[in-house]
Amino acid sequence: MQTTYKILVVDDDADIVELLQYNLTKEGYDVTHAENGKEAIAVATQFQPDIILMDVMMPIMDGITACRHLREMPECKDTYILFLTARSEEFSEVAAFEAGADDFITKPIKPRALLSRLSAFVRRGNQGAADQNEVIQVGNIKIDRTSFSVFKGDERITLPKKEFELLAFLANTPDKVFNREELLNNIWGTDVYVIARTVDVHIRKVREKIGEDHIKTIKGVGYKFNTD
């Protein structure tokens, strides 16, 4: 079980960086920082963080663009990315999840609330895999939780962590319909506030990679892994 999680704080506001570094270090996290998205990519390559806390609006490279680049890096494919922003409009949240974010928190930042979210993530990371089937085989789709790999026939498909978890959760009980709230609670957890649209975004991305026919929409209800 991992005991020390590495966190990269990305923000051009020195006061926010100082606040976060102080509180996170006090909780036992290994913390470093970057001042913009471009620098974050360079730092992440060497530091290989478990968690990235990143502002959206920054000079040189904004957080949304940086997140897309980070998700393409093998070092950050499964990194937990949480956006920090003063902007609360829904379109910003949707854009963040489209780019590959896992969570979204608005400023001003309340350290206690942030630490609670991070603790929930750490608990899920340490406990999650133990209670679930390690290998799921449904039709021509094989999902291996131990290696975070997905195969469609002989083709290996790479999915970011949340997309992988969503696919594995649905495939673990094929033909059972889950509504958006159930999927949000099981994949993102009850300690994280995300909008229902987040599920739709991730479902669309999974379909793009494994094929449209494997996850079926039940209109007005939710989604299921299809075995028809």
Side-chain angles (χ1 to χ4, degrees):
M1 182 176 70
Q2 184 167 348
T3 55
T4 302
Y5 278 72
K6 296 191 290 185
I7 299 182
L8 170 59
V9 177
V10 189
D11 202 306
D12 59 326
D13 187 324
D15 290 337
I16 289 177
V17 171
E18 183 179 357
L19 171 70
L20 292 176
Q21 283 193 307
Y22 172 77
N23 283 279
L24 294 170
T25 301
K26 191 169 66 171
E27 291 296 314
Y29 294 105
D30 181 6
V31 186
T32 191
H33 73 278
E35 294 183 359
N36 57 68
K38 185 176 181 180
E39 185 180 335
I41 294 169
V43 173
T45 302
Q46 300 298 323
F47 187 59
Q48 298 186 19
D50 300 293
I51 300 167
I52 298 176
L53 308 180
M54 183 157 56
D55 190 23
V56 172
M57 304 300 294
M58 294 181 292
I60 303 178
M61 182 184 289
D62 64 82
I64 301 291
T65 303
C67 185
R68 291 195 185 100
H69 285 288
L70 288 163
R71 284 303 187 212
E72 293 173 356
M73 297 166 50
E75 302 92 334
C76 296
K77 181 174 67 73
D78 299 324
T79 300
Y80 180 69
I81 299 180
L82 186 153
F83 272 110
L84 312 171
T85 178
R87 300 174 64 182
S88 58
E89 299 91 346
E90 183 174 306
F91 78 87
S92 295
E93 188 164 346
V94 171
F97 289 120
E98 285 273 9
D102 295 296
D103 200 356
F104 190 99
I105 188 169
T106 56
K107 297 176 180 177
I109 298 164
K110 298 177 180 178
R112 187 173 298 177
L114 175 60
L115 290 170
S116 176
R117 291 198 187 189
L118 296 180
S119 295
F121 163 75
V122 169
R123 286 196 303 273
R124 290 198 300 273
N126 289 334
Q127 298 171 357
D131 302 326
Q132 301 171 353
N133 295 329
E134 290 186 351
V135 178
I136 303 168
Q137 179 86 49
V138 185
N140 67 339
I141 299 294
K142 178 181 177 182
I143 303 165
D144 189 337
R145 293 183 189 272
T146 59
S147 62
F148 269 85
S149 58
V150 177
F151 291 88
K152 183 180 180 181
D154 295 328
E155 177 190 3
R156 181 167 183 158
I157 299 169
T158 301
L159 298 178
K161 189 171 184 180
K162 279 291 179 285
E163 292 174 31
F164 178 90
E165 291 176 351
L166 181 59
L167 174 62
F169 181 79
L170 289 169
N172 198 47
T173 49
D175 288 323
K176 180 177 179 179
V177 180
F178 294 93
N179 61 39
R180 289 178 179 82
E181 184 177 355
E182 289 174 312
L183 293 173
L184 285 171
N185 288 342
N186 280 280
I187 306 304
W188 283 267
T190 56
D191 295 318
V192 176
Y193 172 74
V194 291
I195 59 174
R197 165 77 170 139
T198 303
V199 173
D200 302 334
V201 168
H202 283 73
I203 290 287
R204 176 175 57 77
K205 289 187 171 187
V206 172
R207 282 172 169 162
E208 288 173 355
K209 295 166 185 173
I210 69 167
E212 296 287 333
D213 54 330
H214 292 289
I215 299 178
K216 185 175 181 179
T217 302
I218 308 301
K219 192 172 182 180
V221 183
Y223 298 100
K224 71 170 185 174
F225 192 91
N226 192 27
T227 57
D228 297 338

